[in-house]
Amino acid sequence: MAQDNDKEIQQLKNRFRDLADRSFSQGIYTFTGFLGLGEQDLFHQIEKELGYAGFTFSGGCEDADRRMVRFGEQERLGYEMPFPIVCIHIKPLLAKFADDLSHRDFLGALMNLGIDRSTIGDIKVGEKEAYLFCVDSIAAFVCQNLEQVKHTHVKCTVTEYMAELLQEKPASINIQVQSLRIDAVLAKVYNMSREKSLALFRAGKVYVDGRLCENNSRLLKPDETVNARGYGKFRLTGEPRETRKGKLSVEAAVYR
């Protein structure tokens, strides 16, 4: 089982290398599919050897968790190419009779269509509707074939407009910690014990800016984004201030 996992890891890293090489040698832009946090971490493990090709990330929207990598630079290639990402609005035909639909409901319905997970990015869920970011090549298929989510009949349309209410608006909180150690900050943000916080690190569930974080004593910097699987993500905003009692007071934007 471990050997199979190691083989898959090596195959994905080789895929990154192949895309970087093709972009550089042929003078074209190349793209990965949408990458989850674990896959993004694998990319970051070898990003220095891929730097010769140039690369950027995008998930189609600000603060996207699932993101694509584009290899190639305008300065070297002489032209710009956008990411092949489109947004699909999924809404019920009759909102009055629609189920309360979750992220899992929308994702399950898409997976039932036989779609490869790498073609699907973030799904922003609102009240009985959602906005799906996906590879442009499957947009028409999704719009033609996704007719039902749970027991709710839906209509799908490609859109360039995301309703304001579906923009993730983080809750701004103020926390006080002894230091900016990531385990201490994470425990305070999610109101958990330090032991529970440490368990997340041991399970490989904590990422900082798309990189797996195994060092629980790592000091966080302002504007770094922390993803804790099962809990959400947060970002430190602004510089910490020392309180009269010698603690650090810091603002955090928390996405649930």
Side-chain angles (χ1 to χ4, degrees), residues 31-70:
F31 301 85
T32 68
F34 283 99
L35 306 175
L37 289 173
E39 294 164 322
Q40 289 175 48
D41 179 65
L42 293 177
F43 176 85
H44 288 305
Q45 289 177 21
I46 62 170
E47 69 172 68
K48 288 185 178 179
E49 69 175 85
L50 306 177
Y52 68 93
F55 59 84
T56 51
F57 283 88
S58 177
C61 64
E62 190 176 353
D63 293 323
D65 288 331
R66 293 180 60 78
R67 301 185 297 168
M68 301 174 72
V69 178
R70 180 186 66 184

Side-chain angles (χ1 to χ4, degrees), residues 170-175 185 188-190 220 223-224 233-238 249-256:
S172 181
I173 65 171
N174 180 274
I175 60 173
V185 175
K188 185 65 72 170
V189 166
Y190 294 115
L220 283 177
D223 293 326
E224 287 187 320
K233 63 183 178 182
F234 66 89
R235 177 171 49 85
L236 295 188
T237 56
S249 175
V250 64
E251 299 287 333
V254 184
Y255 299 80
R256 301 296 182 181

Side-chain angles (χ1 to χ4, degrees), residues 13-161:
K13 288 182 176 180
N14 287 339
R15 173 63 174 162
F16 296 148
R17 294 184 179 103
D18 290 343
L19 289 170
D21 181 67
R22 189 150 59 90
S23 172
F24 188 81
S25 62
Q26 298 181 21
I28 61 173
Y29 287 99
T30 58
F31 301 85
T32 68
F34 283 99
L35 306 175
L37 289 173
E39 294 164 322
Q40 289 175 48
D41 179 65
L42 293 177
F43 176 85
H44 288 305
Q45 289 177 21
I46 62 170
E47 69 172 68
K48 288 185 178 179
E49 69 175 85
L50 306 177
Y52 68 93
F55 59 84
T56 51
F57 283 88
S58 177
C61 64
E62 190 176 353
D63 293 323
D65 288 331
R66 293 180 60 78
R67 301 185 297 168
M68 301 174 72
V69 178
R70 180 186 66 184
F71 292 100
E73 298 173 312
Q74 183 177 6
E75 183 178 337
R76 178 171 59 83
L77 300 182
Y79 68 102
E80 179 71 8
M81 177 176 285
F83 280 79
I85 300 174
V86 298
C87 181
I88 296 177
H89 186 195
I90 308 172
K91 61 181 180 180
L93 292 178
L94 296 172
K96 181 179 179 180
F97 302 106
D99 297 313
D100 289 325
L101 301 172
S102 67
H103 182 279
R104 179 175 292 183
D105 293 327
F106 286 104
L107 180 59
L110 289 163
M111 292 295 94
N112 285 338
L113 296 179
I115 295 173
D116 191 287
R117 187 71 174 96
S118 68
T119 64
I120 297 175
D122 281 15
I123 303 173
K124 304 292 186 182
V125 179
E127 187 176 351
K128 301 180 180 180
E129 64 178 339
Y131 286 84
L132 162 71
F133 292 89
C134 67
V135 176
D136 56 8
S137 59
I138 68 160
F141 177 83
V142 171
C143 290
Q144 292 169 9
N145 292 278
L146 185 61
E147 299 177 338
Q148 188 169 328
V149 178
K150 209 171 179 180
H151 303 296
T152 299
H153 292 280
V154 299
K155 179 181 180 180
C156 301
T157 53
V158 174
T159 179
E160 294 183 0
Y161 172 74

